[in-house]
């Protein structure tokens, strides 16, 4: 039997104020004064000097603000790569992603596409990337997605919503500074935190489960319960622990997979542009058949924090639109195999998915 030789983030620093070490961390990676670092930053920080003013720019370094209003698209990645190649005198020294899952996925994808020919849609799938990415750093400003640790970058392409899953995708360096998550709106905090929670449930209840993924998943789940259901933590402790839950949740699917909620959420994201964390919540509301205990606990968390989940998002869809979502969901075969088993196609029919989507 051949086991997956999984690449991990090779360097990570954790701690309040650790963002201040960014300059010292990247300086040795600068290739020349003409090889800039490109900082991709969530545009929520464009008018907030508290962060944007702290970015250590030198020589020809550039900041490009990225809107996280929509999920990242392959066309957006390709346009960014073209702009960088055309305007930089030399290949960049590195790509630094500062933001939530959308920006970190953009950073990973851009770092890959600078060294690989063609369009990013050509690399959506598993192990299609041929050349190593340039140096890239992830700095999350919201916790839960696990994008800082995963080997995938989720992109909406012309025909599918699917990650560039490769050994070259993970960041070379991650900086985990819980101070950067201050001021995240409560609903966004919840949706993104639930992405982490769902990672744990899908990993721990999946057929791919093994001791490696279980150890990370159990710790992440324990932290999520403490953060979202108990009243023992102050704001700082909660932020610190959610950042670590995100890391462990991401690691829990490294050696296994996600499941039903993610597969169906990708369908919502592709057709309707529903953001990933919200999509997971919309779907998870209706998955008692697959994750009864997990859904019950999720509903307790939602009620405790008085979060309103969008309803009726599929109410006015045509048959053709339902078919598009179902096609996207069914294309994610490893997720279904993890959730249901090798015979998943006998259980997960198009009608089954249509019925589930109709409830959302």
């Amino acid at each position: 039997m051949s086991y997956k030789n999984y690449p991990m983030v090779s360097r990570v620093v954790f701690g309040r104020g650790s963002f201040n070490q960014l300059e010292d961390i990247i300086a040795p990676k600068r290739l020349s004064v003409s090889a800039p670092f490109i900082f991709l930053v969530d545009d929520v920080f464009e008018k907030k000097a508290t962060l944007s003013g702290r970015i250590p720019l030198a020589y020809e370094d550039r900041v490009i603000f990225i809107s996280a209003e929509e999920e990242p698209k392959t066309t957006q990645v390709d346009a960014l790569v073209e702009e960088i190649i055309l305007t930089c005198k030399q290949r960049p020294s590195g790509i630094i992603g500062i933001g939530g899952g959308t920006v970190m996925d953009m950073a990973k994808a851009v770092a890959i596409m600078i060294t690989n020919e063609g369009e990013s849609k050509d690399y959506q799938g598993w192990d299609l990337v041929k050349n190593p990415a340039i140096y890239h750093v992830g700095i999350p400003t919201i916790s839960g997605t696990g994008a800082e640790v995963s080997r995938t970058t989720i992109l909406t392409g012309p025909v599918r919503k699917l990650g560039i899953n490769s050994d070259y995708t993970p960041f070379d360096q991650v900086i985990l500074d819980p101070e950067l998550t201050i001021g995240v709106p409560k609903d966004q905090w919840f949706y993104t935190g639930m992405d982490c929670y769902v990672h744990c449930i899908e990993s721990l209840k999946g057929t791919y489960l093994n001791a490696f993924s279980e150890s990370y998943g159990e710790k992440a789940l324990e932290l999520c319960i403490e953060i979202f259901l108990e009243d023992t933590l102050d704001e700082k402790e909660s932020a610190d622990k959610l950042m670590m839950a995100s890391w462990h949740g991401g690691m829990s699917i490294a050696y296994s997979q996600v499941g039903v909620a993610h597969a169906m959420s990708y369908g919502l994201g592709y057709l309707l542009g529903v953001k990933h964390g919200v999509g997971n919540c919309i779907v998870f509301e209706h998955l008692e058949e697959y994750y009864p205990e997990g859904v019950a606990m999720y509903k307790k968390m939602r009620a405790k924090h008085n979060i309103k989940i969008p309803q009726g998002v599929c109410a006015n869809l045509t048959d053709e639109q339902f078919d598009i979502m179902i096609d996207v969901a069914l294309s994610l075969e490893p997720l279904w195999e993890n959730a249901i088993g090798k015979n998943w196609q006998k259980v997960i029919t198009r009608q089954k998915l249509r019925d589930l989507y109709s409830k959302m």
Side-chain angles (χ1 to χ4, degrees):
M1 183 172 179
S2 176
Y3 292 99
K4 190 195 302 183
N5 192 6
Y6 180 77
M8 299 171 80
V9 174
S10 54
R11 288 185 175 270
V12 59
V13 57
F14 171 85
R16 292 184 164 265
S18 58
F19 182 78
N20 296 329
Q21 294 174 229
L22 178 58
E23 185 172 11
D24 293 338
I25 286 169
I26 65 175
K29 301 296 182 180
R30 188 180 294 280
L31 301 175
S32 80
V33 296
S34 301
F37 282 105
I38 308 294
F39 296 84
L40 304 183
V41 183
D42 190 319
D43 69 358
V44 74
F45 296 107
E46 192 164 3
K47 295 184 175 70
K48 293 185 181 178
T50 49
L51 188 138
S52 60
R54 296 165 62 197
I55 294 170
L57 299 174
Y59 306 108
E60 297 179 22
D61 294 350
R62 291 172 58 197
V63 173
I64 300 174
F65 289 104
I66 304 290
S67 171
E69 281 301 306
E70 295 183 347
E71 299 284 286
K73 296 181 172 64
T74 55
T75 50
Q76 193 183 2
V77 171
D78 297 338
L80 260 178
V81 171
E82 185 176 15
E83 179 190 345
I84 290 167
I85 289 171
L86 290 175
T87 57
C88 294
K89 293 175 186 172
Q90 279 183 247
R91 179 182 285 181
S93 293
I95 305 292
I96 321 291
I98 305 174
T102 292
V103 175
M104 285 190 289
D105 279 349
M106 286 290 294
K108 290 191 281 190
V110 167
I112 284 169
M113 292 311 302
I114 284 175
T115 56
N116 287 273
E117 294 181 352
E119 299 174 89
S120 51
K121 68 179 175 61
D122 302 329
Y123 298 93
Q124 285 181 285
W126 281 265
D127 301 308
L128 301 173
V129 180
K130 301 292 188 289
N131 302 316
I134 65 169
Y135 178 74
H136 50 307
V137 179
I139 306 173
T141 60
I142 187 169
S143 299
T145 69
E148 66 275 15
V149 70
S150 74
R151 79 185 289 272
T152 189
T153 162
I154 305 301
L155 301 174
T156 301
V159 295
R160 60 175 64 87
K161 182 177 178 184
L162 185 61
I164 299 176
N165 294 269
S166 85
D167 283 356
Y168 302 122
T169 307
F171 287 112
D172 299 295
Q173 170 79 55
V174 168
I175 295 176
L176 299 175
D177 183 348
E179 282 184 356
L180 300 181
T181 66
I182 293 169
V184 171
K186 186 172 183 182
D187 58 347
Q188 191 60 51
W189 165 81
F190 183 83
Y191 295 144
T192 313
M194 287 302 99
D195 191 13
C196 173
Y197 173 74
V198 172
H199 283 159
C200 302
I201 299 300
E202 292 183 321
S203 172
L204 291 170
K205 296 299 180 185
T207 64
Y208 288 4
L209 187 65
N210 53 69
F212 184 98
S213 51
E214 187 174 33
S215 62
Y216 284 104
E218 286 180 342
K219 184 59 185 178
L221 181 59
E222 176 190 315
L223 289 167
C224 284
I225 292 169
E226 192 176 0
I227 294 157
F228 291 104
L229 283 182
E230 297 173 8
D231 297 313
T232 55
L233 304 176
D234 62 27
E235 193 174 344
K236 283 187 176 182
E237 289 172 321
S238 177
D240 288 1
K241 292 198 173 193
L242 187 53
M243 193 158 260
M244 291 321 300
S246 179
W247 182 271
H248 282 73
M251 286 299 300
S252 75
I253 56 172
Y255 226 84
S256 61
Q257 253 305 347
V258 283
V260 180
H262 276 75
M264 296 194 72
S265 176
Y266 289 160
L268 290 176
Y270 178 80
L271 181 74
L272 304 174
V274 176
K275 296 204 70 177
H276 183 65
V278 188
N280 279 343
C281 290
I282 291 170
V283 176
F284 210 63
E285 293 274 332
H286 305 283
L287 298 186
E288 292 94 342
E289 182 180 348
Y290 306 101
Y291 310 110
E293 294 166 0
V295 171
M297 191 180 294
Y298 153 79
K299 288 183 175 178
K300 278 187 190 174
M301 293 173 175
R302 171 177 46 68
K304 180 176 174 64
H305 295 283
N306 195 27
I307 302 294
K308 298 287 185 283
I309 304 300
Q311 296 183 335
V313 296
C314 298
N316 301 309
L317 298 185
T318 64
D319 289 344
E320 183 182 7
Q321 288 175 311
F322 275 113
D323 281 339
I324 289 169
M325 287 198 304
I326 291 165
D327 287 341
V328 169
L330 287 175
S331 72
L332 297 158
E333 295 188 9
L335 281 63
W336 293 111
E337 186 174 315
N338 178 51
I340 310 296
K342 290 194 180 298
N343 296 321
W344 66 269
Q345 286 163 313
K346 294 178 180 174
V347 179
I348 303 300
T349 62
R350 297 187 72 85
Q351 187 60 50
K352 182 80 173 174
L353 294 187
R354 172 70 185 252
D355 292 343
L356 279 169
Y357 275 130
S358 296
K359 294 177 182 177
M360 298 173 193

